[in-house]
Amino acid sequence: MSSNTACPENEKQALLNFKKGLIDAANRLASWDPHHQPDCCRWIGVVCDKRTAHVLSLNLSVPTWDGYTDLESYGMSMLIGKINPCLSKLKHLRYLDLSNNVFEGLLPYQLGNLSNLETLKLGDNRLLYVENLQWLSGLSLLKHLDLSCVNLSRASNWLQLINTILPSLDELHLSACQLLPGPSLLNVNLSSLAVLDLSLNHFTNQMDVGWVSNLKSLVFLDLAGNYFLGPIPDFLRNMTSLTHLDLSSSYLNSSIPDWLYSFSSLQVLRLLGNQLHGDISSAIGNLTSLNELDLSVNQLQGKLPRAMGKLCKLRSIYLSGMRLNQDISRILEILSGCSSPRLESLDLASCQLSGQLSDQVGHFKNLTILNLSNNLISGPILIPYWQLKNLKELCLHDNSISGPISISLGQLANLERVSIFNNLLEGVVSDKHFANHTKLKYFYGSGNSLLLRVNPNWVPPFQILYLDLGSWQIGPSFPLWLRSQKHLEYLDISNSRISDVIPRWFWGLSTQFKHVNLSRNQISGQIPYLPGGPDIFPLVDLSFNNFSGPLPQIPMGPHQYMIDLSNNYFSGSLFHFLCHQWSGTFSTGFLSIANNLLSGEIPDCWIKWQSLQVLRLDGNRFTGKIPSSMGTLSELQSLNLHNNNLHGEIPLSLKNCTNLLAINLGKNELDGNIPRWLGQDLTSLIILILRSNKFGGNIPDHLCALSSLQILDLAENNLFGSMPRCMSNFSAMVRGNGSRDNIIEYIGYNGPPTLESASIVTKDQVLVFDKTLNLVRLVDFSCNNLSGEIPKEVTSLQGLQTLNLSRNHLTGKIPESIGSMKSLESLDLSQNQLSSSIPESMSSMTFLSHLNLSFNKLTGIIPTSSQLQGFNESCYAGNHLCGSPLRGCRGSGKELDVRNEAKEISKGQETNWFYISMPLGFVTGFWCVLGPLVISKRWRILYFRFLEAIWWKVCDFAGKF
């Protein structure tokens, strides 16, 4: 282009009009300024003809995210707005690429006037849609068309139109366009089509795309993400010219057919994410052109065939999830079949591999990615790192690898990601382990027994994004080298034995954090404000430390998804923390300030916290009433106010929190009746704990509507009346305790999962459950004034583990069918007025490990079983019971063995010895007394004189009165 030739004015104005309607947060189009640069040919993204200066190419695409670039910066680089029809004035345009931006609205049909256009790329603009594709008829020279992620659901005749009006098409990309299947093509005009991408369109029948077998020039075919339920499509059988085939995540459920192994031209084969089964045939050795093989996340199993060693062009192998059950050394031996392996990526995660990592790995000098995570690999790491100079990602987490980490790891200058968490590694890690890691961005090392020992003045060579050193020994001093990290987004140094005052400069780093976990240390000091960056779902966990002073301030703008300040020494009021002057609402989903020294009333400004799912204020010194604005928390799933000094009634507004799964209001001074609406409106409740309050009245029958209830604790209140007879409606307690139907896990949108926890009184102990809380089934009505009989419906709760009805005024019998509660581990019926005998069915309660029947009015023999006889005597004290472990039961005149007595009583047809012994006793007694009088005269005289003397004494005594 000559120096005096500039782009035509009308084309420049078209570009300026196009720019005028866009949001350009990153100022990418700064050069599009006619005052500073009047020639649009010099504007970024614009290419002109060197002779005529007409605009030939406009490229404003954004590269695909590389996984490392900051997401906020990446998002800001995208242009936002509508595609202005004025672009149709660029009559000489041959190349238009606006892909991977945020263009929205209806795609202007005027683009069909660009008759010279050869390439049109509008892919990955997910807010664009097209009414029809008739406008493409003006683009007869088009060779490359990319409308991926553009909504084409209204263009029902897409296939017929493209086949008819675009005869020169070489590449067609219609991924995720919501395409509707059209009639199969009988006459295919797309004779030049070499590349076809119809992935992620949810075609439900393989024959919806069967017409592709008629595309004789096709070499690249992507049908991933459709619903091809069944075998690998047979219409592909004769398409042996394919070099790229992707059928990932297409619900395929067969073995790999033999004909597929004959595709000798195939370079890329992706079948991941299906339900393929069987093994890999040794015929895979025929795929000699293959450079990428992805069979991960299927149901394949069996040994890796030795023929894999013949695939010398392989650069990427992804087999994660395949049940190989082989020694890792055997796998590496097979893949070393070629003299100079080209392998760059090896992913064998979750393949049930065993053995040890040896120097065999060094044979693969081109490796950039090595993923052996989640296997059974053990022993030390003997990888010769110095031979793997290209390695970027090393993933060995979730194995049983032991021993120290070699200092030679520090020689890997290209390393970007290291993941070694959850192993048995031990020993010292020094600054030498990171000596050349200038590119390191991600380091995950938690769950090992490693000691970090670096110079106090150490400045790391890297600028890391994610750093996870949980459970390493870093302390006692706070790591000063963190101060040099300017881009740190994720930090976990939990449980690292730090017992230091947190430095002030740390809070200067906090504006960039998306996740910070300092929990389970002994860090002290005050927190001026909570850390938090631009990400809307960060996590802040400062729990189990020695932080003190008032609660920190919360910054305005996007907020932390999870805030955990529990188990510290924060004091003062909750007001300034909770009732922010900011006019917006908080996006926090999890808030825990449990077990601190906070006092005063709970503020009534919860309307600002509408996203809360979990709220824990337990273990403080809060007074006053439960604020009614808590009823505005419509997303709330768990409310824990346990162990405070709250009084008054449960506010009616809480009935609006219909998503509640767990309520714990125990150990307060709440009063009034238990509300009926708990059962009527909060029908999803799994945990209801109201123990140690002042609730009165009856236990409402409406609670029986809580079919998902697993824990019902109403102990230590003033409840009276009878127990509900509808308790058999507690379906979750009727089922066995192995069920995981109601696992109490809260997962916020894009947030981390958190488990519900609770302190449960069982077996005379207070136990804290979290990970296994979903397995607990408990009913505790103890320490009330309940009366009447124990309803037999209780015995239908066959999944119940703990039943405590002690210290009430219950009467009547223990239900005869109580033995059907075979999951029961703890039963306490003590200090009631229960009568009659212990039911024989209790002898079958084999899981019972805690029993207390003391201080009732029980009588009779304790049933025989190894369980019941194994309990201490105190379990039966205060009754009229006998038998082991108490003393034996006393019969008439002699001790009878309890077991023999029970057997004799049960034999009704045998002799009754009472009737035999009675006449024998009479005869014996008669002759013992009267026999001597009959035989001896002297005894008769003495006996009658004795009787006469007695008679006169009686008469004399009577005469005195």
Side-chain angles (χ1 to χ4, degrees):
M1 183 177 64
S2 60
S3 59
N4 59 352
T5 304
C7 68
E9 185 64 24
N10 66 324
E11 295 184 15
K12 178 169 68 175
Q13 289 302 319
L15 291 172
L16 290 174
N17 289 334
F18 172 69
K19 175 188 175 182
K20 191 179 299 182
L22 300 180
I23 298 174
D24 181 13
N27 208 19
R28 289 173 55 198
L29 305 182
S31 63
W32 291 29
D33 186 344
H35 299 293
H36 291 86
Q37 179 52 263
D39 185 4
C40 70
C41 293
R42 299 181 182 275
W43 293 354
I44 191 168
V46 179
V47 176
C48 298
D49 188 289
K50 292 182 178 181
R51 184 175 59 84
T52 64
H54 286 299
V55 177
L56 300 180
S57 172
L58 178 60
N59 185 353
L60 298 178
S61 64
V62 176
T64 304
W65 186 55
D66 59 8
Y68 297 101
T69 306
D70 176 67
L71 276 174
E72 182 189 15
S73 303
Y74 181 71
M76 289 178 62
S77 67
M78 296 179 179
L79 300 172
I80 303 174
K82 295 185 177 181
I83 298 177
N84 195 314
C86 65
L87 288 181
S88 63
K89 296 181 179 180
L90 304 176
K91 300 292 186 180
H92 301 270
L93 200 64
R94 298 176 187 173
Y95 186 99
L96 177 59
D97 189 351
L98 303 178
S99 57
N100 207 19
N101 283 286
V102 193
F103 290 109
E104 57 187 3
L106 181 63
L107 189 67
Y109 65 88
Q110 291 89 341
L111 293 183
N113 296 328
L114 299 172
S115 57
N116 290 306
L117 205 61
E118 297 178 359
T119 300
L120 176 59
K121 296 181 179 181
L122 302 174
D124 293 308
N125 286 285
R126 301 176 186 275
L127 301 180
L128 275 178
Y129 68 93
V130 173
E131 291 285 357
N132 63 71
L133 294 175
Q134 192 63 49
W135 55 276
L136 289 174
S137 60
L139 307 179
S140 59
L141 300 179
L142 201 64
K143 295 182 178 181
H144 186 126
L145 175 61
D146 187 350
L147 297 177
S148 299
C149 298
V150 176
N151 188 342
L152 300 182
S153 61
R154 305 178 192 182
S156 57
N157 60 343
W158 63 274
L159 182 56
Q160 291 76 15
L161 277 173
I162 290 175
N163 184 52
T164 303
I165 63 182
L166 297 177
S168 302
L169 210 58
D170 292 335
E171 288 196 34
L172 177 59
H173 298 268
L174 297 178
S175 173
C177 288
Q178 304 179 43
L179 295 175
L180 297 174
S184 184
L185 293 177
L186 298 178
N187 298 310
V188 178
N189 297 325
L190 300 172
S191 58
S192 301
L193 195 65
V195 176
L196 177 61
D197 183 357
L198 297 176
S199 60
L200 300 170
N201 277 295
H202 309 303
F203 294 124
T204 57
N205 192 313
Q206 294 186 8
M207 296 315 299
D208 290 341
V209 290
W211 53 271
V212 303
S213 62
N214 299 321
L215 302 173
K216 303 304 181 184
S217 299
L218 202 65
V219 295
F220 181 109
L221 178 60
D222 190 345
L223 298 176
N226 287 290
Y227 290 96
F228 298 146
L229 191 66
I232 292 177
D234 196 63
F235 63 77
L236 299 172
R237 176 188 292 266
N238 297 320
M239 300 181 71
T240 55
S241 298
L242 285 177
T243 62
H244 181 113
L245 176 60
D246 193 341
L247 298 173
S248 305
S249 303
S250 295
Y251 293 87
L252 303 173
N253 58 8
S254 68
S255 58
I256 300 174
D258 291 338
W259 54 259
L260 187 57
Y261 294 116
S262 66
F263 281 40
S264 57
S265 299
L266 206 59
Q267 298 175 15
V268 175
L269 177 59
R270 296 175 182 161
L271 301 175
L272 71 147
N274 285 290
Q275 300 172 30
L276 299 175
H277 51 80
D279 56 11
I280 301 175
S281 169
S282 59
I284 197 170
N286 298 328
L287 303 179
T288 53
S289 300
L290 208 61
N291 59 55
E292 180 184 329
L293 174 64
D294 194 342
L295 303 178
S296 56
V297 196
N298 277 285
Q299 298 175 14
L300 297 167
Q301 58 185 352
K303 308 297 183 184
L304 194 71
R306 193 169 187 82
M308 286 279 288
K310 299 179 182 179
L311 306 180
C312 296
K313 294 183 180 180
L314 265 178
R315 295 181 182 274
S316 302
I317 299 176
Y318 305 101
L319 300 179
S320 64
M322 183 176 177
R323 289 169 286 178
L324 293 172
N325 286 305
Q326 281 179 282
D327 193 292
I328 181 61
S329 61
R330 176 59 178 160
I331 300 289
L332 297 177
E333 178 187 344
I334 292 173
L335 298 179
S336 302
C338 300
S339 57
S340 299
R342 301 183 183 182
L343 203 59
E344 297 176 0
S345 299
L346 178 60
D347 186 350
L348 299 176
S350 305
C351 287
Q352 301 182 13
L353 302 178
S354 56
Q356 297 185 10
L357 284 174
S358 67
D359 57 1
Q360 288 175 295
V361 180
H363 190 62
F364 304 93
K365 293 180 172 58
N366 296 315
L367 269 182
T368 59
I369 298 174
L370 177 60
N371 187 353
L372 301 176
S373 61
N374 197 28
N375 281 292
L376 304 171
I377 299 171
S378 59
I381 303 175
L382 301 177
I383 297 176
Y385 294 115
W386 58 273
Q387 292 181 318
L388 305 177
K389 296 180 179 179
N390 297 316
L391 197 63
K392 293 182 178 181
E393 296 187 18
L394 176 63
C395 299
L396 303 176
H397 59 265
D398 289 299
N399 278 285
S400 299
I401 300 171
S402 58
I405 300 175
S406 172
I407 291 179
S408 63
L409 181 66
Q411 299 178 20
L412 300 179
N414 291 305
L415 207 57
E416 298 175 0
R417 183 188 298 265
V418 177
S419 182
I420 54 174
F421 63 87
N422 291 347
N423 275 287
L424 304 174
L425 295 168
E426 56 188 4
V428 175
V429 176
S430 68
D431 50 357
K432 294 180 181 179
H433 286 81
F434 304 99
N436 295 319
H437 292 174
T438 56
K439 298 180 181 179
L440 190 64
K441 298 297 181 185
Y442 303 87
F443 189 95
Y444 303 93
S446 63
N448 288 287
S449 300
L450 293 165
L451 168 63
L452 183 64
R453 184 176 294 165
V454 296
N455 189 297
N457 299 319
W458 179 53
V459 177
F462 50 75
Q463 285 293 321
I464 205 161
L465 295 175
Y466 278 54
L467 181 61
D468 180 5
L469 303 179
S471 299
W472 285 34
Q473 184 176 337
I474 299 174
S477 299
F478 197 87
L480 300 179
W481 52 268
L482 286 176
R483 190 173 190 176
S484 66
Q485 300 303 298
K486 306 302 182 185
H487 307 294
L488 192 59
E489 296 179 359
Y490 180 110
L491 175 65
D492 187 342
I493 50 174
S494 60
N495 192 27
S496 56
R497 304 186 187 181
I498 299 174
S499 55
D500 197 2
V501 177
I502 195 164
R504 290 186 178 182
W505 56 258
F506 180 78
W507 306 115
L509 301 176
S510 64
T511 55
Q512 66 204 33
F513 283 141
K514 297 176 182 177
H515 176 120
V516 57
N517 188 349
L518 308 182
S519 66
R520 299 185 183 277
N521 285 288
Q522 297 181 42
I523 304 173
S524 58
Q526 296 192 5
I527 304 176
Y529 51 84
L530 283 181
D535 196 303
I536 196 169
F537 297 110
L539 174 147
V540 177
D541 190 349
L542 307 179
S543 62
F544 292 94
N545 275 289
N546 297 330
F547 292 115
S548 58
L551 289 169
Q553 296 179 10
I554 300 182
M556 292 185 289
H559 300 101
Q560 297 79 5
Y561 165 74
M562 177 176 176
I563 301 175
D564 193 345
L565 305 177
S566 63
N567 296 279
N568 279 285
Y569 296 95
F570 293 112
S571 59
S573 171
L574 188 56
F575 183 84
H576 295 290
F577 175 87
L578 200 68
C579 305
H580 207 286
Q581 294 182 356
W582 183 48
S583 58
T585 58
F586 296 92
S587 55
T588 303
F590 179 102
L591 176 60
S592 178
I593 321 177
N595 301 315
N596 279 283
L597 304 174
L598 300 170
S599 58
E601 295 188 355
I602 300 176
D604 198 7
C605 52
W606 293 98
I607 198 169
K608 291 177 174 285
W609 297 77
Q610 293 297 296
S611 299
L612 271 182
Q613 296 180 21
V614 178
L615 176 59
R616 292 198 57 181
L617 302 178
D618 49 299
N620 282 285
R621 302 170 180 176
F622 292 121
T623 57
K625 298 183 177 182
I626 300 174
S628 60
S629 62
M630 280 188 176
T632 64
L633 305 178
S634 58
E635 301 296 322
L636 197 63
Q637 297 181 40
S638 175
L639 174 62
N640 193 335
L641 304 178
H642 176 265
N643 194 19
N644 281 286
N645 297 310
L646 302 172
H647 66 267
E649 299 183 353
I650 301 176
L652 180 63
S653 61
L654 282 183
K655 68 185 295 186
N656 299 320
C657 303
T658 54
N659 289 309
L660 272 170
L661 301 177
I663 296 178
N664 190 344
L665 306 179
K667 293 195 72 174
N668 280 285
E669 298 179 15
L670 300 171
D671 53 30
N673 292 343
I674 296 176
R676 295 182 176 182
W677 51 260
L678 284 173
Q680 293 172 327
D681 298 285
L682 308 185
T683 54
S684 299
L685 272 180
I686 299 173
I687 297 174
L688 179 59
I689 300 176
L690 303 178
R691 72 177 295 123
S692 302
N693 279 285
K694 298 179 179 179
F695 291 112
N698 296 317
I699 300 175
D701 288 343
H702 300 77
L703 294 183
C704 294
L706 302 175
S707 59
S708 299
L709 203 63
Q710 296 176 192
I711 297 175
L712 177 59
D713 190 346
L714 307 180
E716 298 177 0
N717 280 286
N718 299 318
L719 302 172
F720 55 81
S722 59
M723 290 174 58
R725 294 191 171 275
C726 51
M727 293 178 67
S728 57
N729 294 336
F730 294 143
S731 302
M733 300 186 194
V734 173
R735 294 192 299 267
N737 62 4
S739 171
R740 293 184 63 88
D741 295 344
N742 294 321
I743 184 168
I744 310 171
E745 181 177 80
Y746 311 104
I747 303 180
Y749 181 67
N750 284 351
T754 57
L755 291 175
E756 177 69 18
S757 63
S759 298
I760 303 297
V761 179
T762 179
K763 304 179 184 179
D764 284 343
Q765 301 177 72
V766 180
L767 302 176
V768 178
F769 292 86
D770 44 36
K771 293 182 180 179
T772 58
L773 183 61
N774 65 295
L775 302 177
V776 177
R777 307 287 192 274
L778 174 145
V779 170
D780 192 343
F781 293 164
S782 63
C783 257
N784 280 285
N785 296 310
L786 300 176
S787 57
E789 296 186 348
I790 300 175
K792 64 179 181 180
E793 289 78 7
V794 172
T795 64
S796 66
L797 306 181
Q798 297 182 16
L800 198 66
Q801 298 161 321
T802 298
L803 176 62
N804 192 344
L805 305 178
S806 64
R807 289 171 286 177
N808 280 285
H809 305 294
L810 299 173
T811 56
K813 299 180 179 181
I814 299 175
E816 290 293 335
S817 56
I818 194 170
S820 63
M821 304 176 74
K822 297 188 183 299
S823 298
L824 212 57
E825 299 175 13
S826 176
L827 175 63
D828 193 343
L829 304 178
S830 63
Q831 299 187 51
N832 280 285
Q833 300 175 32
L834 300 172
S835 56
S836 191
S837 59
I838 298 174
E840 285 287 338
S841 66
M842 285 188 66
S843 60
S844 63
M845 301 172 72
T846 55
F847 281 97
L848 202 62
S849 60
H850 177 84
L851 175 67
N852 193 347
L853 303 178
S854 63
F855 299 101
N856 279 284
K857 298 180 179 179
L858 299 172
T859 59
I861 303 167
I862 298 173
T864 304
S865 78
S866 57
Q867 295 293 114
L868 298 182
Q869 267 67 55
F871 292 115
N872 191 280
E873 293 183 9
S874 61
C875 300
Y876 304 104
N879 289 286
H880 301 285
L881 296 168
C882 61
S884 179
L886 304 178
R887 60 179 181 171
C889 298
R890 183 171 297 276
S892 298
K894 65 178 181 177
E895 294 290 320
L896 295 176
D897 180 81
V898 175
R899 295 180 183 175
N900 291 338
E901 181 185 19
K903 291 180 180 178
E904 292 298 328
I905 292 173
S906 65
K907 296 179 180 179
Q909 75 276 15
E910 295 186 9
T911 305
N912 194 321
W913 290 99
F914 173 76
Y915 296 103
I916 295 175
S917 60
M918 185 173 64
L920 288 174
F922 174 79
V923 172
T924 303
F926 177 84
W927 284 107
C928 287
V929 175
L930 299 182
L933 301 181
V934 174
I935 298 172
S936 174
K937 179 178 179 183
R938 183 170 178 269
W939 277 57
R940 285 199 302 272
I941 295 171
L942 292 173
Y943 181 73
F944 285 113
R945 285 181 179 177
F946 171 77
L947 292 178
E948 184 180 21
I950 293 298
W951 170 253
W952 287 113
K953 285 183 178 181
V954 170
C955 292
D956 184 62
F957 180 80
K960 294 179 179 179
F961 293 90

